[in-house]
Amino acid sequence: MHENREASEMPDDKLVVRPAGEGESRTSRTYVSEESDSGTVPMNHSNKNRQLLAETEEGRPLIKENTRQLITHSTQSEARVSHGLEGVRKAARGRKEIKFTALLHHLTVDMLRDSFYALKRKAAPGVEGVTWQEYEVGLEDRLPDLHSRVHRGAYRAQPSRRVYLPKPDGRQRPLGVAALEDKIVQAATVTILNQIYEEDFRGFSYGFRPGRSQHQALDALYVGITRKKVNWVLDCDILGFFDNLSHDWLLKFVQHRVADRRMLHLIQKWLKAGVVEEGQQKNTEMGTPQGSVVSPLMANIYLHYGAPGQTWCF
C-alpha cells in the first residue's frame, strides 16, 4: 500500500485567506488560502471516528499499536493542517458540490522545497539521470525556476523510465520512475488536491491514503466479520488497474471538484508524458504509471467516481 508514495508530512506556514476567482459557473466562488506550505494532508476525521466508534461499541478490543497510531496522527494532523490550505479544506468539507477554480497559486516555492525534501533520497533517477543529491546542489536557484515554469505553462513533463519488479507469482510488475522535477511538482500537487479529496473519499477506503494503513483496514474488517451477519466474503482484484485507466474518464472525474484549468493541464501532461523502455519512448493512451507520486491519488479518484453505487475496497 506504500510502494507508490514518496511524499511525507511537511511543515506548514501562515494562512492568508482570499476569495478565489469565478470559474465556469457563477456559483463556483469559494474562499481559499493564499499561501499553503503544508504538506500534511487531513484525514477524513468523521470517517475515522465512525470506524473507531464502531469498534469500541461493538466490543472489539483495539490493538494498542493501532489505537496509538490513530490518536497520534489525529493530533499531529489537526495541529499542522490548521494553517496551510485551511480554506480549501473547509470549503471541500462544507460544500460537496463546489468546484475549485483557483488552486495552482497554492503551489509555491516553499511547497516545492518541502516536496523535494520529502522525497526518498536514495530513489532511482528518471530518464534525465538526476539524483536527489545532485539536484540539491543549487536548490535555491532551481526551485524558483521550476516554480516559474509551472506557473507560466513552460513546465514540460518528462516520460517515465519503465522498470520491472518481480511478483511472487513469477510475473513482473511494471513501474514508472519519474524525473526528479516531475516528482517534486507531483508531490506538491497531491498536497493541494488531498485537501479536497480526503474530505470526499469514503471511510471504507484505505489504499494509498495518508494516515491510513493495512492495520486499520483489518480492524474495520474484524468488526464487520465478527459483529455483523456476514454470509460471504468477496476477494477480488482489478487486473492491470493502473495500466488501464481511461484518461478521458479520469479527467472527467477530476473535474467534478477541480475546475482550475492550469491544474487540469498539469495532470494531462503527466498522463500523456509516455514511458521510455529499452531506450525507446512510447506514448501512453491510457493508464498512469505505478511508482509515480501522483498515480495513487489519481487511482483513488477513479475508484471513487468510477462505479456509482458500488463498494470498492482495496
Side-chain angles (χ1 to χ4, degrees), residues 161-164 275-282:
R161 182 169 62 86
R162 175 62 57 84
V163 297
Y164 291 90
V275 297
V276 171
E277 187 172 359
E278 297 180 351
Q280 299 293 321
Q281 182 171 347
K282 301 178 182 179

Side-chain angles (χ1 to χ4, degrees), residues 155-159 178-187 270 273 293:
Y155 162 78
R156 296 289 179 266
Q158 299 190 57
L180 188 60
E181 284 197 336
D182 292 333
K183 291 179 181 179
I184 297 171
V185 181
Q186 287 181 15
W270 294 321
V293 177

